[in-house]
Amino acid sequence: MNNHHVYEKLINITSEQNVMVNEPLKNHTYTRLGGRADLLVTPETYEQVREIVKLANEEGVPFTLLGNGSNLIVKDGGIRGIVMNLNKLNEIKTDGTKVIAQSGARIIDTSREALKQHLTGLEFACGIPGSVGGALYMNAGAYGGEVKDCLESAIVIDRNGDLLSLNADELDLEYRRSNIPDKGYIVLEGTFALEEGNYEEIKAIMDDLTFKRESKQPLEYPSCGSVFKRPPGYFAGKLIQDSGLQGKQIGGAQVSLKHAGFIVNKDNATADEYIRLIRHVQSTVKDKFGVTLEREVRIIGEDLE
Ligand SMILES: Cc1cc2nc3c(=O)[nH]c(=O)nc-3n(C[C@H](O)[C@H](O)[C@H](O)COP(=O)(O)OP(=O)(O)OC[C@H]3O[C@@H](n4cnc5c(N)ncnc54)[C@H](O)[C@@H]3O)c2cc1C
């Protein structure tokens, strides 16, 4: 790939301020580790998103979508080609009892907007640090609620750059997954169907969930949240704790002392250290309890050469 040629084309589609070259992705991910993106582009309109997808297709350039970087580990060798971040597409609107949020808006802000409008249904999302696009992709959820419960529809772009309007059930939302990766969709916006509620009651629920999160999660360190999905019939954190792994460290990565389901970047960890610790946890729990821990967090990019 001729990076300079692609860079020029990206600037023509967006603008110079919207294209970063050799950008460290540790500045864009919650784990604060990993390598660089050849080209990081932040489009400001849906049309620009479509043109960038078409450019990547036409030029045969690798293309990666980054949300808010809260469920990703980027390997130390970084990501080749174009990385697109939609954080400048972040408008949140209300229409009656519906909240319509662009994919780069934070799901936390979407939940706060619902509160402001006295709408109930998105309280569960008040502490999930992802974007709306990432929340649909992962069917994010917490404390008994998930995106699937309140998502009505979504606007996406498919692999060819065509705009589609989909009902929520067309995204096959299940526990921490959707068909978005299989279909290659890029989410542009989501419409959440909520109900009228009482401001004080909604706020009380959100305050309670925030208190629970802050007291149980190691939010003082960079991390990617819960590393593993909940294995049927078990809790990942409890299995890890009972395997004696709490506090286990590889390089700067550590199984959190506060919540065993989290791995924190305690001291300038590399992605390689973080990933080796994930594998060590998986194999130890498998040996001790015969349970397979499936990763919730996604690992992308290349190893260092
Ligand atoms: C401290 C902490 C607490 C967390 N708590 C929770 C929790 O309670 N519940 C929970 O479910 N998760 C939780 N998470 C994980 C994370 O916030 C969610 O998975 C979130 O939905 C990820 O969104 P993101 O925008 O950060 O996605 P990213 O991590 O940037 O990306 C994740 C995947 O989504 C894809 N993606 C992103 N945007 C789009 C888009 N517009 N269209 C298509 N694909 C897209 C990316 O390509 C990538 O494959 C937590 C994470 C942290 C760090």
Side-chain angles (χ1 to χ4, degrees):
M1 176 187 80
N2 179 343
N3 273 347
H4 190 72
H5 165 75
V6 178
Y7 172 74
E8 292 290 334
K9 293 211 161 193
L10 285 174
I11 285 184
N12 283 338
I13 295 172
T14 59
S15 69
E16 215 166 311
Q17 323 58 304
N18 288 334
V19 187
M20 287 183 261
V21 180
N22 212 17
E23 174 67 10
L25 288 169
K26 61 169 68 171
N27 297 341
H28 302 270
T29 53
Y30 270 71
T31 45
R32 296 281 175 262
L33 48 76
R36 293 166 182 264
D38 285 346
L39 296 163
L40 178 67
V41 60
T42 48
E44 294 188 32
T45 66
Y46 292 171
E47 190 46 39
Q48 288 176 3
V49 178
R50 292 179 65 186
E51 285 185 45
I52 294 165
V53 172
K54 286 191 175 157
L55 171 72
N57 284 342
E58 280 161 18
E59 302 280 339
V61 181
F63 173 84
T64 306
L65 192 57
L66 181 70
N68 219 18
S70 64
N71 203 39
L72 285 179
I73 296 168
V74 177
K75 290 186 180 180
D76 296 310
I79 305 182
R80 302 292 71 81
I82 300 174
V83 176
M84 184 164 72
N85 184 313
L86 300 179
N87 64 4
K88 289 188 179 152
L89 287 162
N90 57 16
E91 199 177 277
I92 304 172
K93 292 183 295 192
T94 45
D95 177 9
T97 54
K98 292 178 187 174
V99 175
I100 303 143
Q102 289 188 324
S103 60
R106 298 188 321 152
I107 192 79
I108 290 179
D109 292 334
T110 313
S111 163
R112 287 186 189 144
E113 180 60 25
L115 166 69
K116 216 164 108 190
Q117 304 296 334
H118 304 205
L119 295 172
T120 178
L122 261 179
E123 293 89 332
F124 74 87
C126 69
I128 301 177
S131 64
V132 167
L136 265 60
Y137 180 106
M138 293 300 297
N139 184 24
Y143 301 112
E146 56 181 4
V147 163
K148 185 182 181 184
D149 300 337
C150 55
L151 185 76
E152 182 179 79
S153 60
I155 295 179
V156 304
I157 281 180
D158 69 10
R159 286 195 172 105
N160 304 319
D162 293 327
L163 211 64
L164 308 176
S165 183
L166 303 174
N167 291 322
D169 58 9
E170 292 176 87
L171 294 176
D172 293 344
L173 300 171
E174 288 171 27
Y175 173 64
R176 300 300 168 267
R177 70 166 300 279
S178 67
N179 65 10
I180 292 171
D182 305 335
K183 301 271 186 183
Y185 291 149
I186 297 172
V187 178
L188 293 182
E189 66 181 54
T191 296
F192 299 91
L194 307 176
E195 285 175 22
E196 274 173 28
N198 174 286
Y199 181 91
E200 295 304 331
E201 285 172 18
I202 299 166
K203 183 158 186 316
I205 295 171
M206 287 169 68
D207 288 347
D208 179 48
L209 296 185
T210 304
F211 175 76
K212 285 193 175 122
R213 196 176 276 276
E214 285 174 355
S215 51
K216 293 203 178 115
Q217 298 185 355
L219 302 178
E220 60 279 23
Y221 290 113
S223 82
C224 53
S226 300
V227 178
F228 305 104
K229 294 188 183 187
R230 198 176 51 236
Y234 299 91
F235 288 102
K238 174 98 172 65
L239 290 169
I240 297 166
Q241 207 172 352
D242 293 347
S243 302
L245 285 166
Q246 220 163 1
K248 167 77 189 167
Q249 206 162 331
I250 295 185
Q254 186 192 50
V255 177
S256 165
L257 290 163
K258 194 166 174 187
H259 186 318
F262 280 54
I263 291 179
V264 294
N265 178 359
K266 195 172 172 229
D267 186 15
N268 290 316
T270 62
D272 181 59
E273 291 162 354
Y274 209 94
I275 293 165
R276 278 195 284 135
L277 187 53
I278 292 176
R279 294 203 185 113
H280 177 74
V281 169
Q282 284 173 314
S283 66
T284 308
V285 169
K286 182 76 179 171
D287 288 349
K288 277 219 157 179
F289 297 105
V291 179
T292 302
L293 289 181
E294 195 193 330
R295 255 193 298 111
E296 179 176 316
V297 61
R298 304 185 65 80
I299 299 175
I300 59 174
E302 299 179 359
D303 290 314
L304 274 182
E305 283 182 6

